[in-house]
Amino acid sequence: LCNEPQGVSAQSFLLQLRAAQDAGRRHAGRDGAEDIPGAGAAGGMGFAFLNYLNSSLEPGISLVLGILGFQEKLEGAELVITGEGRMDAQTAMGKVPVGIAKMAKEKGCMVIAFAGGVTEDAEECNEAGIDAFFSIVRGVTDLDTAMEKGHALHNMEAAAVQAARLIRAVKTQKC
């Protein structure tokens, strides 16, 4: 390694990079692509596709749920149950449970989610369409124990039973 200057300062390099970006944008005729959600994902691949391949971006969950015919499967459903390993603010930014919730809400379904872990900021998932979420971990435990198949199945069943009891109570109570 050499500590001598390479002839181009970081500031100069950044200016050259921005000039190249502007030239590319003018050449592609697609101004503002960097502001489109998803354009910065995967190291900027979305931006490159938008700018140079005359393409559009679609959230992966929408694509997958469309292929699976999920919307048709929701016909007549009242409740959708989904899950995530860890429910947090990132989940609310478009991960699978929120993609499922958005489609379920279009059909008027209630959505609950189960998660191995729930963080303080997971409440953002409520604003994104998940009516309620439940952690399946019961008490303090280490990750290896929590993920042990028998232990995890027991915890999931216990959490599901409690959620079902709540739903039944809400539907049958008159006050």
Side-chain angles (χ1 to χ4, degrees):
L1 296 173
C2 178
N3 288 330
E4 294 181 27
Q6 298 296 312
V8 178
S9 70
Q11 180 79 15
S12 174
F13 178 71
L14 186 58
L15 291 171
Q16 290 174 6
L17 192 60
R18 285 192 179 136
Q21 181 184 24
D22 291 341
R25 193 178 302 124
R26 282 192 308 277
H27 173 72
R30 188 118 183 221
D31 213 11
E34 67 273 9
D35 297 327
I36 296 173
M45 290 299 293
F47 177 80
F49 285 136
L50 285 169
N51 259 345
Y52 303 109
L53 299 178
N54 194 28
S55 62
S56 61
L57 296 180
E58 183 176 344
I61 186 63
S62 300
L63 188 63
V64 170
L65 292 177
I67 290 169
L68 294 175
F70 185 69
Q71 210 161 36
E72 293 79 26
K73 290 178 171 82
L74 289 172
E75 293 300 327
E78 293 180 21
L79 171 67
V80 172
I81 300 171
T82 186
E84 177 89 324
R86 177 178 150 149
M87 192 80 55
D88 57 22
Q90 273 196 323
T91 307
M93 295 172 59
K95 285 190 170 182
V96 171
V98 167
I100 287 172
K102 287 182 185 216
M103 199 170 278
K105 288 298 177 186
E106 290 173 8
K107 296 289 188 177
C109 298
M110 179 173 63
V111 180
I112 63 172
F114 293 96
V118 175
T119 64
E120 289 292 324
D121 58 3
E123 291 172 351
E124 291 182 32
C125 297
N126 297 129
E127 296 168 27
I130 295 173
D131 294 299
F133 54 82
F134 303 89
S135 173
I136 69 163
V137 176
R138 301 174 70 120
V140 177
T141 187
D142 61 90
L143 184 60
D144 288 336
T145 303
M147 293 188 65
E148 183 181 292
K149 186 175 181 179
H151 192 76
L153 287 172
H154 172 76
N155 284 346
M156 183 66 210
E157 181 179 346
V161 165
Q162 291 305 309
R165 290 176 61 86
L166 175 62
I167 292 165
R168 184 177 58 210
V170 168
K171 285 188 157 206
T172 59
Q173 294 297 317
K174 298 200 190 304
C175 61

